[in-house]
């Protein structure tokens, strides 16, 4: 059974600091996704990672993938209040079996 | 208009009542999904459909049923609602297979369901 674990569950950090959210998955998967969710809102796609060593960056967020370790990280650089949200990682298989399995989410609060 | 539209946005219902949540999409996608979100548990898959004639159970299908009325419409029913079905429900579609790293899922705005 595929399991996706995220940590930490909650993260409170000061503006200007750096931090990393971790996502582990238990069995081979083809793609790794990162989503952002604001309270009461839908999910916004941030990154899709496919291959080992893939790194993608958008503003203060950078995601990486290590398929051998089954680990993805979401790194936040010099956090700002606007990044406060819940972040989810999720994985799926390709080639006819596309359905997402989600991690538990990390609620990130940026303190001024 | 949104690509994936869910109705209603909010609903309060009583235990034992039958309720239907509706989802329609303008993406032209064959693949549609229903997820449930609970605090601390992430999103869990209830049912999914890869085309109008293909319906599959997800990890938490007990107590739920679905209907794929057309390519664009996928409804979720709670036959007899119970309080632990109180949650935020999301409908989603996905791109066709073969997109590689460009593959994506589109989520609706969600339906907040409260069973009292």
């Amino acid at each position: 059974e595929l399991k996706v674990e995220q940590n930490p569950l909650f993260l409170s950090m000061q503006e200007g600091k750096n931090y990393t959210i971790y996502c582990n998955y238990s069995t081979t998967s083809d793609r790794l996704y990162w989503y952002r969710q604001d309270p009461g809102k839908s999910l916004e796609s941030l990154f899709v990672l496919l291959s080992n060593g893939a790194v993608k960056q958008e503003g203060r967020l950078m995601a990486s993938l290590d398929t051998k370790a089954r680990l993805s990280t979401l790194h936040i650089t010099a956090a700002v209040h606007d990044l406060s949200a819940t972040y989810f990682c999720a994985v799926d298989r390709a080639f006819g079996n596309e359905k997402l399995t989600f991690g538990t989410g990390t609620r990130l609060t940026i303190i001024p | 208009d949104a690509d994936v539209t869910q109705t209603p946005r909010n609903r309060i219902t009583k235990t034992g009542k039958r309720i239907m949540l509706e989802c329609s999409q303008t993406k032209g996608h064959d693949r549609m999904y229903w997820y449930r979100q609970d605090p601390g548990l992430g999103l869990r898959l209830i049912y999914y459909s890869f085309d109008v004639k293909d319906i599959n159970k997800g990890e938490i299908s007990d107590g739920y049923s679905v209907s794929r009325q057309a390519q664009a419409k996928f409804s979720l029913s709670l036959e007899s609602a119970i309080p632990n079905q109180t949650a935020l429900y999301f409908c989603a579609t996905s791109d066709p297979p073969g997109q590689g790293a460009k593959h994506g899922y589109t989520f609706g705005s969600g339906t907040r369901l409260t069973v009292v």
Side-chain angles (χ1 to χ4, degrees):
Chain A
E1 181 188 352
L2 174 59
K3 291 189 183 297
V4 182
E5 295 183 349
Q6 267 181 258
N7 66 82
L9 210 56
F10 298 96
L11 178 56
S12 182
M13 53 191 292
Q14 288 185 313
E15 278 190 330
K17 300 290 188 182
N18 304 332
Y19 208 80
T20 301
I21 299 171
Y22 297 88
C23 175
N24 285 93
Y25 52 99
S26 60
T27 62
T28 300
S29 298
D30 293 311
R31 285 177 293 239
L32 190 293
Y33 301 75
W34 283 98
Y35 290 93
R36 169 183 171 142
Q37 186 184 38
D38 292 305
K41 302 293 186 182
S42 188
L43 280 78
E44 173 191 354
S45 179
L46 297 174
F47 302 107
V48 182
L49 303 169
L50 184 63
S51 56
N52 190 44
V55 177
K56 290 190 176 181
Q57 183 164 4
E58 181 73 34
R60 300 175 187 273
L61 300 178
M62 183 174 71
S64 65
L65 179 63
D66 181 344
T67 57
K68 293 179 181 178
R70 296 183 189 144
L71 170 68
S72 180
T73 60
L74 181 67
H75 187 73
I76 301 146
T77 301
V80 293
H81 180 69
D82 286 352
L83 290 178
S84 295
T86 298
Y87 293 85
F88 291 96
C89 65
V91 298
D92 75 353
R93 300 302 305 269
F95 310 114
N97 197 26
E98 290 82 355
K99 55 185 188 290
L100 285 169
T101 301
F102 281 85
T104 52
T106 297
R107 182 181 288 185
L108 174 64
T109 303
I110 309 296
I111 303 167
Chain B
D1 288 342
D3 292 327
V4 180
T5 302
Q6 291 184 236
T7 55
R9 290 297 308 275
N10 293 281
R11 180 73 181 266
I12 300 174
T13 192
K14 292 185 177 180
T15 298
K17 293 290 188 182
R18 184 178 189 274
I19 182 169
M20 179 182 289
L21 309 184
E22 300 193 13
C23 176
S24 63
Q25 52 112 347
T26 58
K27 301 281 286 185
H29 289 163
D30 288 325
R31 292 155 185 249
M32 297 187 73
Y33 310 81
W34 275 104
Y35 285 90
R36 165 181 173 158
Q37 182 178 12
D38 297 279
L41 294 177
L43 281 77
R44 293 178 292 166
L45 184 62
I46 307 172
Y47 271 95
Y48 61 103
S49 170
F50 282 174
D51 67 41
V52 174
K53 296 181 180 179
D54 179 61
I55 305 286
N56 303 281
K57 293 182 178 181
E59 63 178 302
I60 55 163
S61 59
D62 287 349
Y64 301 95
S65 63
V66 290
S67 173
R68 185 81 185 265
Q69 301 96 322
Q71 185 199 43
K73 296 184 182 295
F74 192 34
S75 301
L76 176 71
S77 293
L78 286 67
E79 298 301 325
S80 178
I82 56 176
N84 77 0
Q85 291 178 312
T86 293
L88 185 57
Y89 290 85
F90 285 102
C91 175
T93 73
S94 76
D95 289 326
Q99 305 295 315
K102 295 183 180 179
H103 186 268
Y105 295 78
T106 303
F107 287 83
S109 298
T111 294
R112 184 166 296 280
L113 177 66
T114 304
V115 183
V116 297

